[in-house]
Amino acid sequence: MSLQMIFVEERKMVMKLDRLLAITMVLINQRRVQAQELADMFEVSVRTIYRDIETLNQAGIPIVTYQGQNGGIGLIDGFRMDKNVLTRDELSAISTALKSISTSYQDEHASTILEKIKGLSDSQQPPETIFVDFSPWGGNPLLKGKITSLKRAIEGSLCVQFFYSNNLGEKSYRDVEPHTIVLKGQSWYLYGFCLHRREFRLFKIPRMKDLVLSDKTFCRKEVQVDQSPWDKAWYNPKNVIQLTITFQEKHQSIMEEMFGIENVTRDENGRLLVHTEMPEDEGMYSFLLSFSDRIEVLEPLHVRKKLKDLLKNMIDKYLDDNY
């Protein structure tokens, strides 16, 4: 048997185990449900559902079929699952994380996972004390669709193709082995192995156009996600510079929010200053210009000069009275 066939079989087994646990949780929460309803929920046939029920019965979970108008599939009265694996607060934290991340992409497993958590939680659910919404104001269905498609490609080890525009506006066609979706600095990225460059690259998802999932599969490479490998190329010590920025007092709250309260100081002349470090690239200059006239870069001098040249070019564009 080939490695690809082994991977497919293992994938089917994982999906079946996940479905079996999800069915158990649905029955714990709803007590009785129609076989067709379960088939629709998990996108399988009714025959598959009955085979799953038989598997669960053999595993010692007492599931019976009730006849009549209010019939269906249910658990024997009095059956309870051990709920001591996770605490109530831990289950609530997992629920909050799942609900929050679902604001950015469609996940067909999210609802069943939340159903499992309901089955393990106490009957009285704790109030929602925090909710994280990663979607932009007004929503962005195109971005959500891209993230959903990329997640499907990663799960199926499918290559993706797309046209990509970098921060200089240069467009290129990319063929990529997708490995990880990354939320970094309030933006969504794909971290994948570029088959053209023959190395891992970080792609900003909104800059992708005509995204297509191919039939070509790949073997996943070793990626230490917990070590944030995408930071290594971006935060190259050779490119990082120290910035000193001043601003008016009325903008202090904005500066503290953007750079952190601990990075805002006041010099002997009473000026409010921000001391920070950033990699010097086009993104840094765009970021500094986004503050308009609310800030002034004091150091280093070459950055100050570059900003002055950029602003002069911008002014020249608006001096054309023939427009």
Side-chain angles (χ1 to χ4, degrees):
M1 183 180 293
S2 67
L3 289 176
Q4 186 62 34
M5 292 178 64
I6 293 174
F7 172 80
V8 172
E9 292 300 318
E10 288 181 347
R11 177 70 178 167
K12 288 181 179 179
M13 180 62 68
V14 170
M15 291 177 65
K16 180 178 180 180
L17 292 174
D18 184 70
R19 187 174 66 247
L20 291 173
L21 181 55
I23 289 174
T24 304
M25 293 304 175
V26 168
L27 295 178
I28 289 175
N29 294 328
Q30 299 185 16
R31 306 307 303 168
R32 197 169 299 183
V33 65
Q34 299 294 324
Q36 186 61 57
E37 186 178 349
L38 289 173
D40 294 341
M41 184 181 301
F42 299 104
E43 298 180 348
V44 295
S45 66
V46 173
R47 180 177 296 179
T48 297
I49 291 298
Y50 280 118
R51 284 201 295 265
D52 288 344
I53 297 304
E54 179 62 26
T55 300
L56 290 171
N57 271 319
Q58 292 176 1
I61 299 177
I63 302 176
V64 295
T65 301
Y66 298 92
Q67 304 298 325
Q69 185 176 359
N70 297 321
I73 299 171
L75 293 168
I76 291 179
D77 291 341
F79 176 79
R80 292 290 184 272
M81 181 171 282
D82 184 9
K83 302 182 180 182
N84 296 322
V85 178
L86 295 171
T87 67
R88 186 166 175 262
D89 289 340
E90 289 169 341
L91 291 170
S92 178
I94 296 172
S95 176
T96 297
L98 287 172
K99 291 177 182 177
S100 300
I101 201 67
S102 66
T103 62
S104 294
Y105 63 86
Q106 298 288 345
D107 188 348
E108 64 272 15
H109 302 301
S111 59
T112 56
I113 295 174
L114 288 169
E115 194 74 30
K116 297 174 189 178
I117 291 175
K118 284 172 57 180
L120 293 172
S121 302
D122 296 333
S123 58
Q124 183 178 359
Q125 296 291 317
E128 296 278 3
T129 57
I130 184 172
F131 187 83
V132 182
D133 191 342
F134 293 114
S135 63
W137 293 103
N140 189 336
L142 293 178
L143 175 61
K144 194 169 187 176
K146 289 180 184 178
I147 295 174
T148 303
S149 296
L150 290 171
K151 181 176 180 292
R152 188 164 65 248
I154 293 171
E155 292 175 343
S157 295
L158 299 174
C159 290
V160 295
Q161 290 91 39
F162 52 87
F163 289 95
Y164 190 71
S165 299
N166 63 18
N167 56 2
L168 298 177
E170 300 168 342
K171 296 179 174 60
S172 59
Y173 179 77
R174 300 300 182 100
D175 192 357
V176 176
E177 298 175 350
H179 279 64
T180 306
I181 296 172
V182 181
L183 177 63
K184 183 77 173 179
Q186 300 180 347
S187 295
W188 286 96
Y189 297 85
L190 171 69
Y191 186 67
F193 187 81
C194 180
L195 296 174
H196 295 277
R197 302 289 192 268
R198 304 306 302 174
E199 63 180 359
F200 276 96
R201 290 291 183 94
L202 195 64
F203 302 95
K204 202 166 189 176
I205 295 178
R207 292 178 180 169
M208 296 178 181
K209 185 178 181 181
D210 299 331
L211 174 66
V212 176
L213 277 65
S214 74
D215 295 329
K216 182 172 60 177
T217 59
F218 66 94
C219 293
R220 185 176 177 87
K221 296 174 175 58
E222 185 74 20
V223 177
Q224 298 294 333
V225 176
D226 57 338
Q227 297 179 8
S228 302
W230 42 85
D231 275 342
K232 296 179 181 178
W234 180 82
Y235 202 78
N236 188 332
K238 296 181 180 178
N239 298 331
V240 173
I241 60 173
Q242 303 291 327
L243 291 170
T244 301
I245 302 169
T246 186
F247 56 90
Q248 296 180 8
E249 194 152 353
K250 62 182 179 180
H251 301 312
Q252 182 172 351
S253 60
I254 297 176
M255 296 299 107
E256 291 176 344
E257 178 184 347
M258 295 300 298
F259 298 99
I261 296 178
E262 65 280 357
N263 292 324
V264 175
T265 60
R266 193 182 296 270
D267 67 6
E268 63 276 6
N269 297 319
R271 293 184 304 180
L272 284 165
L273 302 175
V274 166
H275 300 280
T276 187
E277 61 179 24
M278 297 181 68
E280 185 177 5
D281 55 17
E282 292 297 322
M284 184 198 77
Y285 286 101
S286 297
F287 174 73
L288 294 174
L289 288 172
S290 69
F291 286 95
S292 184
D293 61 347
R294 289 178 291 184
I295 69 169
E296 179 184 354
V297 175
L298 301 179
E299 295 176 348
L301 294 180
H302 78 273
V303 173
R304 183 180 175 89
K305 183 180 183 304
K306 176 71 177 289
L307 288 171
K308 187 186 300 184
D309 292 340
L310 290 172
L311 290 170
K312 183 179 181 301
N313 292 337
M314 186 183 300
I315 292 173
D316 289 343
K317 292 181 184 296
Y318 289 94
L319 291 179
D320 186 0
D321 295 332
N322 296 322
Y323 177 74

